[in-house]
Every structure is written in structure tokens, then in C-alpha cells.
Amino acid sequence: DTLWDLAIAEVEKRENSVDDGKPVEVWEKSIFFMGNKNGVTLNTDYFFLHREEIPKPTKKLEYTFGRRARRHNTPKDIAHFWELGGGTSLLELIRIPITSSNIRSFAVVLVLDLSKPHELWTMMEKLLQATRNHVNKILAKLEKTNPEVATEIKQRMQNNLQRDHPDYELVDPFPIPLVIIGSKYDLFHEFDSEMRKIISKTLRFVSHYYGASLVFTSKSEALLLKARVLINHLAFGYDKSKSVSVDHNKPLFIPAGLDSLSQIGPPPASDSDIGKMRANTPLELWKKVFEKTFPPKSFCDLQDTKDPAKDLQYAEYEVDVMRAQKNQ
């Protein structure tokens, strides 16, 4: 062996083993943030990776990553963070980060603006539906090429709810791990108590129905910490909190599988109103009840008219000079 061969072997030995000689598996996960049009309000650089700079709104699709070591002298686990800006205007970009090669280690974080209840259901429905459709296409391909992996992914999501849970047969788990974050709780807290109750109960039902975790947050460090707990669990496998907060007068915090339909109760409407509503599924019924109180706004969610190429935060001298020359 040459000196280089010996050096490479030594580095690989250090990276793949600890003091007792047992190999250490490197944890590698991917988290996909998506949400309201003004950029995902939980910018990962600022919120999760604790970087000092003030976050800029996510324009299109952005990527960053974080690394953490479980113990001293062990390889660092890696978490890939993707952020989709533009609300529902860029749904076609969902297929870029979520692929058949990383689907086993992928999770989704949906950030919803609690201060805009009239946009909430439409935003949630479109983003989750587009993501689910794409994931289902990947799973359909895997069933033909690698059926073991497809079965493992489906089984893992079913296991989010214990088989003896009374709602086991009544829910429809999202095909990959999902966290729903209600942002701007400080503004939401100023709403009328009945409005807060309707929004909170509805999001509890949706989260439980999809086998998702739910947390309300704001700029408050205490609330950010609770959201970090859930994301750390997805990104680095840290222990999932067992604490639960379901009081609509307080910020909600409900890890996946710890809620129930009996605790959530029926949709917040009178029996006569519910009787008049035609719905094929429980989710559809909750949607009709929610939109009766908060009719969806007809808001245009097309791409921004402002040209990102002229945004100073993306300035690159050489590129801009060539672009100006081409335009001329």
C-alpha cells in the first residue's frame, strides 16, 4: 500500500467507528418546508440553524443543510433543508426535492399563517394534495422496482398510531412524516375566543386525520423551542416530546398519535347545519364547517410580478454584466 492508501484507510476507520470498534451509521434526513406566499415564515437559517442574520423571504426553492454529532468523535449526522416560497404558485417545484432515492428519509413541514384564517384551508389543501400526489407517484413506481421499500414506508406511517388506538381505522395517514406549524400565534391570540376555538379544533382534526404533529408558534423563544423539538426529531432523530397542550386558549402542541377524535369532538356547528351539509368524508365535512365561518378569499396566488433577476440580494456582477450585454 502507498502512503495515500494508508491515510485513506485511517480516515475511513476514524469516521466509521467509535472507541469500542463498533461501526456508527450516519443519519441523513431531508426536511421540506412549505407554506404561505410571503416566504416560509420559519426560515430554517434563522429559526432552526440559529444563524444570526435576519431571514429574507423565500423567493422560489431554496436549500441549506445542518450537521450535528451525536457524541464526541463520531461522524456528524446530516439534515437537508428545502424551502418552497410562493405559497401555492410553485407547486411544480415539489418534485425537485422529493425523489425515489430519498423518500425513505423525507419529511414535510407545512407552515400556516394563523392570522389569515380565510386563506388557511385553501393553502393547506393545495400544498398537501400536490405533495401527496407526487409522493404517491413515487411509491407506485417503487412498488414495481423496490416493493420492500414501498411497503416499509407505508407501514411506518401506519405505525404512527398504535393499533389499539380507537381511531386506527378512521384516519388516513399522510404517506411521509408531516408536521403542521401554525405561525403568528401572537396575532392569532388576539382573535375572538370562538374563532380561535374553531381554527384550533379544525387544525387538530386535520393533523390527527393525517397522522401529523401540530404546534403553534410565534417569535417567542419558548414557542420556537417547542417547534424545534419536533423538527429535531425529524432531522436528527432526537427524542419526541410526550407533552401535550390541547387548550384552544393556549398554544397547541400535539405530537403525532397523541390526540383522538373523541377529545377533538364534532365539527363546531349545530346539528341542523351539519345535517344540511353533504360530505363524502369526515375531512370534507370539517372543510364545509370551517369555510362556513371563514369563507375562502379569492386571492390571486400567481408568481410575483417583480422580477427576481433584478432583486439586489441575487446580484452577481459577472452574470449581470453579461445579461445587460445580451439585453442591449
Side-chain angles (χ1 to χ4, degrees):
D1 288 345
T2 66
L3 184 61
W4 286 115
D5 292 330
L6 293 170
I8 290 168
E10 178 65 26
V11 169
E12 287 178 347
K13 183 181 175 183
R14 289 180 187 176
E15 287 183 346
N16 297 321
S17 65
V18 288
D19 294 340
D20 58 7
K22 293 179 181 177
V24 175
E25 183 183 356
V26 175
W27 178 285
E28 190 165 351
K29 297 287 182 179
S30 298
I31 314 288
F32 183 39
F33 288 80
M34 56 187 183
N36 286 82
K37 184 169 183 175
N38 291 332
V40 175
T41 50
L42 284 181
N43 183 286
T44 51
D45 282 3
Y46 181 73
F47 163 79
F48 185 67
L49 300 176
H50 310 291
R51 291 175 184 158
E52 297 293 328
E53 60 265 25
I54 301 299
K56 298 184 179 78
T58 305
K59 288 283 185 183
K60 299 291 182 266
L61 181 66
E62 296 185 5
Y63 169 82
T64 188
F65 69 93
R67 299 194 301 162
R68 289 188 182 175
R70 272 173 273 181
R71 294 187 300 278
H72 183 60
N73 277 343
T74 60
K76 288 185 176 181
D77 295 329
I78 303 167
H80 306 278
F81 298 106
W82 295 86
E83 289 183 51
L84 181 67
T88 60
S89 65
L90 301 170
L91 293 177
E92 71 277 6
L93 296 183
I94 286 172
R95 60 188 171 80
I96 294 175
I98 311 177
T99 65
S100 55
S101 60
N102 66 13
I103 190 74
R104 294 172 74 181
S105 59
F106 215 95
V108 172
V109 176
L110 174 64
V111 183
L112 299 172
D113 188 339
L114 295 174
S115 69
K116 297 178 180 177
H118 294 277
E119 298 177 11
L120 193 147
W121 191 284
T122 304
M123 181 72 60
M124 175 174 65
E125 186 176 56
K126 286 186 176 180
L127 288 170
L128 290 183
Q129 195 170 28
T131 306
R132 186 166 208 157
N133 289 342
H134 177 62
V135 171
N136 285 340
K137 286 180 184 176
I138 293 175
L139 290 177
K141 288 181 183 177
L142 283 175
E143 283 175 351
K144 297 176 182 175
T145 59
N146 199 338
E148 294 84 5
V149 172
T151 303
E152 176 199 323
I153 292 169
K154 290 179 181 178
Q155 191 60 50
R156 185 179 61 199
M157 291 315 298
Q158 288 290 345
N159 291 342
N160 253 351
L161 211 59
Q162 298 297 324
R163 285 190 176 274
D164 58 355
H165 194 289
D167 305 333
Y168 187 79
E169 299 293 337
L170 303 174
V171 297
D172 183 19
F174 205 69
I176 54 178
L178 172 66
V179 171
I180 297 177
I181 294 179
S183 68
K184 301 187 183 177
Y185 178 77
D186 48 339
L187 301 178
F188 170 77
H189 189 60
E190 296 174 6
F191 286 6
D192 171 76
S193 175
E194 194 59 31
M195 289 173 64
R196 292 202 309 270
K197 183 178 180 181
I198 293 170
I199 296 169
S200 297
K201 284 189 70 170
T202 301
L203 287 179
R204 280 181 67 188
F205 172 80
V206 172
S207 299
H208 184 59
Y209 187 74
Y210 283 140
S213 297
L214 175 65
V215 59
F216 285 1
T217 190
S218 68
K219 294 178 182 178
S220 155
E221 188 60 33
L223 294 184
L224 285 175
L225 186 61
K226 289 194 169 188
R228 283 192 190 116
V229 167
L230 293 175
I231 296 171
N232 266 317
H233 171 70
L234 295 176
F236 297 108
Y238 289 9
D239 289 342
K240 188 163 60 172
S241 174
K242 294 290 177 69
S243 67
V244 177
S245 173
V246 296
D247 185 351
H248 71 271
N249 292 310
K250 297 177 182 177
L252 297 185
F253 181 79
I254 313 170
L258 298 185
D259 211 342
S260 69
L261 295 176
S262 61
Q263 287 181 308
I264 297 168
S270 66
D271 291 342
S272 60
D273 283 344
I274 290 177
K276 295 172 188 174
M277 294 175 181
R278 294 182 179 180
N280 296 321
T281 65
L283 191 66
E284 198 176 323
L285 177 62
W286 278 82
K287 176 184 178 180
K288 288 179 181 294
V289 171
F290 184 80
E291 291 187 342
K292 190 173 186 296
T293 307
F294 302 106
K297 279 186 179 177
S298 55
F299 60 94
C300 178
D301 206 13
L302 299 174
Q303 293 189 15
D304 294 329
T305 52
K306 183 181 176 183
D307 185 358
K310 296 176 183 175
D311 193 319
L312 292 179
Q313 71 167 311
Y314 301 121
E316 290 185 51
Y317 178 74
E318 292 84 356
V319 176
D320 295 340
V321 167
M322 294 301 291
R323 181 66 183 265
Q325 184 179 324
K326 179 177 182 295
N327 289 341
Q328 186 180 0

